[in-house]
Every structure is written in structure tokens, then in C-alpha cells.
Amino acid sequence: MSILEELHALRAEGLGAISAASELTALDAVRVAYLGKKGSLTGVLRGLAGLSADERPAVGKASNEVRDALEAAIEKRRAALSATALASRLIAEAVDVTLPGRRRAPGHQHLIERVTREIVEIFAGIGYRVAEGPECELDYYNFTALNTPQDHPARNASDTFYVEDLSGDVAAVAGESDVMLRTQTSPVQVRVMEKTTPPIYILSPGKVYRRDVADPSHLPQFTQIEGLVVDEGITFGDLKGTLEHFAHEMFGPSRKVRLRPHFFPFTEPSAEVDVSCHVCDGAGCRMCKQSGWLEVLGCGMVDPNVFGYVGIDPELYSGFAFGMGAERIAALKYGVPDLRHFVESDMRFLRQF
Ligand code: DAH
């Protein structure tokens, strides 16, 4: 084969390889194979040295043409492959804006939060304001100033979560510390009365803690809502009327209220309050254990001893207080048989409300 024929064949072969290259890397390999330092065309040109002076110009020209042709074909192919690569990347990375979005499941208030707010609203409607206090409380507020005797069982380490005094003065031994997780929201009464001249109309919702094992009617942590009224001439009749209003708003306008004598250290007299069962209207059912009544809260007239601790003159003022558990009210209102459902975070239960 003459060198011109060789060049001709090389050109045809090279152009074929170029159009066969389906990716940019393959195309680059073709370029090296033909035009690179050790490439085929370079190899042919080396043979130029052995040619006569007559032949050289024609072969030189032909080889330049082959090189130009291959280079032009490579550039063209490169442009085409780059365009395809870009197009397929755009397809692969495309976002289909017509697809429906992924919905975020909206949350909603936990039933206990809702019932707590509902209770607050009822009392806000008759002029009470919300007062809050610390969940980590001093013995003085949780017990002593609430007229609780030193030997009262609620003070036992088996009933109350004592915590270490952060000043480090008192050992973290249960029962020897003055600091505890409050067992009731009643200490907020004391904190408010200490700082406020009557009239006082407050409601204090919040978490309370007791060393109880969770069972259908007990939780070691629950929500209590305390109410306190101190004003001139407040009577037991005011207390009863207030609780009737609450029962009607919470459980329905035809509810009846019954008070049973009871004992609390901080009130005298004290009572437990029942509301006629809203499920059977007092006839007796599973909800009210056939009694027709549901026990909803504790209450009483503020004990003059408590006024003594906070410097309010019991000759001038009188007051009443009451306390209820939001979990219990919610369970009664919605027929929940076990308080533990409220804290187990089972969405099948919670979504119902
Ligand atoms: N603190 C009481 C308890 O946890 C509830 C209570 C009863 C609060 C009577 C009161 C009250 O303010 O007057 O059992």
C-alpha cells in the first residue's frame, strides 16, 4: 500500500471510530489513538522521511488534510456528545412540578392541653386571671404555708419527689431536702397571696408530681388546676355557685352539683364536689359506677391559718379555693377509662380528639 493509500484508509477508519464514540471519554481515546504522539497518523508521518523530495509535498498536504478532517470531525462529535450529555442530565435531574406535594401531617392540641384551656376559659369568662408558679417548689409553699402538719403523710418521701437543694446545703436524701417537685398547684395560692392585696381571683394550671404508680386512675405526673378567690364577704354560697357555673359550662347546663364534707389542711370547711353524671343524667351507668354522680374536685373556704402565713387579715377578707385534675375532668367528659392513655402517645388514641 502506498503511503497515500495508507492515509486514505486511516482517514476513513478514523472518521468511523469518531462517529462510533458514544461518550466523551471514548471520543478522547479515539483522538489520542489517531492524533496523539504515538497515534496512527503520527506513525504514518514518520514514514515521510523515507520519501523522495518529489513525493513529499503531496504526501505532506494529504496528511495535513487527514489531520484537519479528523480534528474537525472530533470537534463536531464532541459538541454533539456534550449536548446529549447535558440533555440527559437535565432529564435525570428534572423536578416534576406537576406532582402533588408531600403533605405534612398537621399536629393538634393534646386533649389535656385542650381541656386545660377550656377550664381556664370558663373561669377567665368570670374574671379570673391565670397565675403560674414553679414546678420545683419549696416545702414552705407546698406544705407549711398551706397549713400542712409536719407529720402529714403527703410529706413522706414515699409520696413526694424530693430533689437536691441546689445550694448544696441540704443532702439529697429524700425527706431531708426542703425542695421537691410540687405535689399540687395549691402553693401558687400562697405565692400570689404573699404579693397581692385582695381582691384575688386566680386560676393556676400546671404540672404536679406524686410518687404514685401509674394505674387507671393515677399518674405520677398530671395536670392540676387550682382556683383561689379572696375578697370581702366571700361565702360558701359563692363557692357553690361558682362550681355550679363551672359544671354547667363543662358538662352541660342541666348538671347538678353536690358537695360532700371532706378534709384538706388548707381549707375549713372542706368539701369534695360531685357533678351529676352527664352520660346517664344521674340515673346510674357504667361511667358513674351506678351512683349517678361523678367526683370532680376538692374545695373549701381558705383556712384562717393560711391567711396568717401570707399576712391577709381574716377579719377583713374571706376566700375559697378549689383544685381539680385536668386528666380526670377529660376522662369524665370523654369517657376515657384509663388515665394512662393520656401519656402513652398512641396516635390512634390521641387522634380521636
Ligand atoms: N390540692 C388538693 C389536692 O391535690 C386539691 C384541692 C382541694 C385544692 C381543695 C384546693 C382545695 O385549693 O381547696 O388534692
Side-chain angles (χ1 to χ4, degrees):
M1 214 184 341
S2 81
I3 195 157
L4 282 174
E5 282 166 345
E6 248 184 85
L7 281 170
H8 192 72
L10 197 85
R11 175 195 167 111
E13 194 192 294
L15 290 176
I18 290 164
S19 55
S22 58
E23 285 171 36
L24 288 167
T25 46
L27 183 64
D28 205 49
V30 172
R31 186 186 59 76
V32 172
Y34 285 84
L35 305 174
K37 260 193 205 139
K38 294 177 184 162
S40 318
L41 182 64
T42 323
V44 173
L45 291 182
R46 274 203 198 102
L48 228 64
L51 294 178
S52 68
D54 297 347
E55 287 170 307
R56 245 182 252 164
V59 173
K61 190 168 169 243
S63 64
N64 280 345
E65 272 169 17
V66 171
R67 191 195 58 217
D68 292 349
L70 292 178
E71 274 175 359
I74 287 170
E75 270 329 297
K76 211 173 140 198
R77 185 74 184 139
R78 190 192 307 283
L81 289 177
S82 309
T84 326
L86 178 64
S88 53
R89 221 184 90 198
L90 288 179
I91 289 168
E93 293 174 7
V95 173
D96 183 352
V97 293
T98 65
L99 283 175
R102 289 195 193 97
R103 264 180 202 287
R104 272 175 187 256
H108 67 85
Q109 265 171 14
H110 191 282
L111 180 61
I112 297 308
E113 180 64 23
R114 217 180 77 206
V115 166
T116 304
R117 290 187 188 202
E118 206 178 322
I119 296 169
V120 168
E121 283 303 308
I122 292 171
F123 286 96
I126 51 173
Y128 289 56
R129 66 173 187 84
V130 170
E132 285 179 327
E135 286 176 31
C136 206
E137 190 51 283
L138 295 170
D139 173 275
Y140 177 78
Y141 291 103
N142 195 79
F143 290 129
T144 304
L146 285 164
N147 200 35
T148 314
Q150 279 303 326
D151 58 357
H152 192 283
R155 287 178 179 258
N156 284 346
S158 57
D159 284 27
T160 297
F161 291 105
Y162 285 89
V163 295
E164 189 169 2
D165 183 332
L166 288 182
S167 68
D169 293 344
V170 183
V173 180
E176 288 185 21
S177 173
D178 275 341
V179 188
M180 65 197 65
L181 300 181
R182 66 181 177 192
T183 62
Q184 48 191 357
T185 42
S186 309
V188 182
Q189 288 186 27
V190 182
R191 289 180 173 274
V192 169
M193 286 192 285
E194 260 185 352
K195 294 192 305 244
T196 321
T197 315
I200 295 170
Y201 291 80
I202 57 152
L203 206 64
S204 25
K207 292 190 180 81
V208 299
Y209 303 83
R210 293 183 191 176
R211 287 187 83 149
D212 279 332
V213 174
D215 70 20
S217 53
H218 295 86
L219 292 174
Q221 183 226 75
F222 61 100
T223 311
Q224 208 175 50
I225 302 167
E226 175 86 8
L228 172 71
V229 166
V230 184
D231 206 341
E232 289 175 30
I234 295 293
T235 67
F236 203 91
D238 296 321
L239 170 58
K240 193 171 180 213
T242 302
L243 297 176
E244 269 165 1
H245 171 73
F246 166 69
H248 294 163
E249 294 287 312
M250 196 72 203
F251 294 102
S254 57
R255 302 280 54 86
K256 289 192 267 309
V257 166
R258 171 175 92 170
L259 287 92
R260 285 179 286 105
H262 198 73
F263 174 81
F264 295 105
F266 33 88
T267 45
E268 182 59 35
S270 304
E272 271 189 335
V273 179
D274 300 338
V275 172
S276 60
C277 181
H278 59 288
V279 177
C280 61
D281 203 19
C285 69
R286 232 180 58 195
M287 185 73 177
C288 56
K289 301 199 180 83
Q290 310 306 327
S291 72
W293 295 95
L294 301 169
E295 183 196 320
V296 293
L297 53 82
C299 68
M301 301 304 289
V302 180
D303 193 302
N305 286 344
V306 174
F307 283 147
Y309 279 104
V310 295
I312 287 180
D313 183 354
E315 297 298 322
L316 212 57
Y317 296 108
S318 55
F320 63 74
F322 55 88
M324 64 184 106
E327 285 79 0
R328 180 165 170 77
I329 301 284
L332 293 176
K333 181 156 178 173
Y334 295 97
V336 176
D338 190 327
L339 299 187
R340 291 173 294 188
H341 287 313
F342 293 130
V343 292
E344 279 167 351
S345 299
D346 183 336
M347 294 309 289
R348 293 168 304 177
F349 170 76
L350 294 174
R351 280 203 189 97
Q352 299 177 89
F353 306 103

